[in-house]
């Protein structure tokens, strides 16, 4: 995770003319977030498997189904808050000019995306 994030941040840093200090701060922030979120895939997959078992059982346990749903919604809310906080933290590290350059690059990427995925 660390190598991939470091490489991606370095690439973006060149595009937006980020300082070494900005690059270090952003890399640390995004790496911590990614490490925190890595287990989520397995957790959501396990919850899906639990739901599947509950739904094909002889007797439907609505309480258990609701518990799993509520747990996953709470986890999704937590992740959403962490992600939003991290995005705002990165935005504060960058200058308004750097954010504008980054926005332009994102818009360019979005416009190219349709060419890669047809259908």
């Amino acid at each position: 995770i660390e190598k991939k994030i470091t490489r991606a941040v370095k690439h973006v840093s060149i595009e937006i003319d980020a300082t070494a200090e900005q690059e270090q701060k952003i890399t640390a922030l995004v790496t911590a977030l990614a490490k925190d979120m890595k287990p989520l895939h397995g957790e959501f997959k396990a919850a899906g498997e639990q739901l599947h078992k509950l739904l094909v059982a002889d007797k439907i346990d609505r309480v258990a189904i609701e518990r799993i749903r509520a747990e996953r919604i709470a986890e999704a809310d937590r992740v959403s808050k962490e992600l939003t906080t991290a995005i705002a933290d990165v935005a504060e590290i960058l200058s308004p000019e750097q954010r504008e350059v980054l926005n332009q690059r994102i818009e360019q990427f979005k416009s190219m995306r349709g060419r890669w995925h047809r259908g």
Side-chain angles (χ1 to χ4, degrees), residues 45-85:
K45 183 176 180 183
E49 291 168 358
Q50 289 174 335
L51 282 172
H52 181 256
K53 287 178 185 176
L54 289 167
L55 292 170
V56 297
D58 289 338
K59 184 174 179 186
I60 302 300
D61 185 348
R62 290 180 181 267
V63 172
I65 292 169
E66 174 57 22
R67 179 184 48 77
I68 293 170
R69 184 203 66 80
E71 288 171 356
R72 293 301 92 205
I73 291 294
E75 186 66 9
D77 186 54
R78 181 189 70 80
V79 168
S80 174
K81 287 176 183 176
E82 283 187 30
L83 187 56
T84 302
T85 298

Side-chain angles (χ1 to χ4, degrees), residues 8-50:
V9 171
K10 190 174 289 288
H11 176 74
V12 173
S13 294
I14 293 168
E15 293 284 325
I16 63 172
D17 197 26
T19 66
E21 181 182 359
Q22 287 174 314
E23 188 177 324
Q24 289 172 343
K25 286 180 180 180
I26 293 168
T27 299
L29 198 152
V30 175
T31 300
L33 180 67
K35 286 181 176 181
D36 184 45
M37 291 190 175
K38 186 166 176 46
L40 292 178
H41 176 74
E43 291 173 13
F44 275 89
K45 183 176 180 183
E49 291 168 358
Q50 289 174 335

Side-chain angles (χ1 to χ4, degrees), residues 62-118:
R62 290 180 181 267
V63 172
I65 292 169
E66 174 57 22
R67 179 184 48 77
I68 293 170
R69 184 203 66 80
E71 288 171 356
R72 293 301 92 205
I73 291 294
E75 186 66 9
D77 186 54
R78 181 189 70 80
V79 168
S80 174
K81 287 176 183 176
E82 283 187 30
L83 187 56
T84 302
T85 298
I87 291 168
D89 290 347
V90 168
E92 284 182 335
I93 292 169
L94 301 176
S95 70
E97 294 80 16
Q98 289 170 318
R99 291 194 303 267
E100 180 55 34
V101 171
L102 184 58
N103 182 54
Q104 290 171 5
R105 297 296 186 265
I106 290 169
E107 290 302 318
Q108 287 174 338
F109 181 75
K110 285 163 105 177
S111 70
M112 293 182 341
R113 200 171 53 192
R115 296 180 203 147
W116 296 334
H117 301 287
R118 296 182 191 249

